[in-house]
Amino acid sequence: MALLKSSKDSWEAQVDFDHLPRHVAIIMDGNGRWAKRRGLPRTAGHAAGAENFRTIATYCQKIGLEYLTVYAFSTENWKRPLEEVSAIMGLLKKYLLESIEKMERDKVKMHFFGDLTPLPQELREMCERTEEISKRYDGIQLNVCLNYGGRDEIVRAARAFAADCAAGTRKPEALTEADFSAYLYSAGVPDPDLVIRPSGEIRISNFLLWQSAYAELYYTDVLWPDFSKEELHKALVAYQGRSRRYGGV
Ligand code: IPE
Ligand code: IPE
Ligand code: MG
């Protein structure tokens, strides 16, 4: 036990907390496999994943991270059995109810990236309410990607831009990258510095396609419900060891 504790601490001690990334994004993957390994239904994995989300988000707030964006449900995740989708929606509802209660204390600013219209009405209203209440807070900004897809986000932005052109308020030839970014769900949010994917998959799965152009990517075999503070420290140490060149030298 003593050995385990000291090895955990060694990651924390290596993190430079004065130079954290401004924006960390996480693909919360591996809930199903976590449950399967324990002989539990996949929904139990999602419940454990939701718990872990609270732990990690609270810790990110504590260390002073400015932005945390998490992938909770993709535009492709509707392909899953109805029972699993319903369980995920139920967990989101529970999470939001708890968050609304704690918001005044935690000062977390919550945003949702994604098209919320196909969500159950009660959940959608809860998302809107949470966003509205938390507008006045200045703690960590938590962006929850819900029915989110990077391609869908870009297509929607293109449509909105085209509509503005048709209305005469924009000119196609004047469009810049910064202008286009303002049409995305992430308008006003700096690009992620670090994108973490647990669960051993080495792919982006339609997450923040535009925004992660120059993000540092970090993959680990650890499944999301087991992704502890120590795992986060490990990812931060890896990030701080990278040389970001943005195409320069
Ligand atoms: C991520 O865990 C949660 C969602 C996609 C909603 P998974 O459910 O994808 O877990 P695995 O990948 O099957 O283990
Ligand atoms: C990505 O995980 C989506 C979320 C974590 C919400 P998936 O499990 O859906 O991704 P694939 O299917 O392995 O690419
Ligand atoms: Mg998965």
Side-chain angles (χ1 to χ4, degrees), residues 28 42 84 114 141 205 210:
M28 302 190 293
R42 291 178 60 84
E84 183 174 343
Q141 179 168 327
S205 300
W210 171 277

Side-chain angles (χ1 to χ4, degrees), residues 2 4 14 35 76 90 130 140 164 178:
L4 191 67
Q14 288 178 60
E76 289 73 35
T130 316
I140 189 171
D164 284 350

Side-chain angles (χ1 to χ4, degrees), residues 71 75-76 148-159 184-185 205-211:
Y71 207 2
T75 44
E76 289 73 35
Y148 172 89
R151 287 189 168 185
D152 181 61
E153 179 183 37
I154 292 167
V155 167
R156 279 165 193 278
R159 275 191 212 132
L184 301 172
Y185 292 122
S205 300
N206 207 9
F207 188 48
L208 303 179
L209 296 182
W210 171 277
Q211 299 86 341

Side-chain angles (χ1 to χ4, degrees), residues 27-29 71-74 77 80 197 201 203 205:
I27 300 174
M28 302 190 293
D29 196 19
Y71 207 2
F73 194 85
S74 76
N77 287 148
R80 297 184 179 208
R197 183 164 194 162
E201 309 300 351
R203 56 175 168 257
S205 300

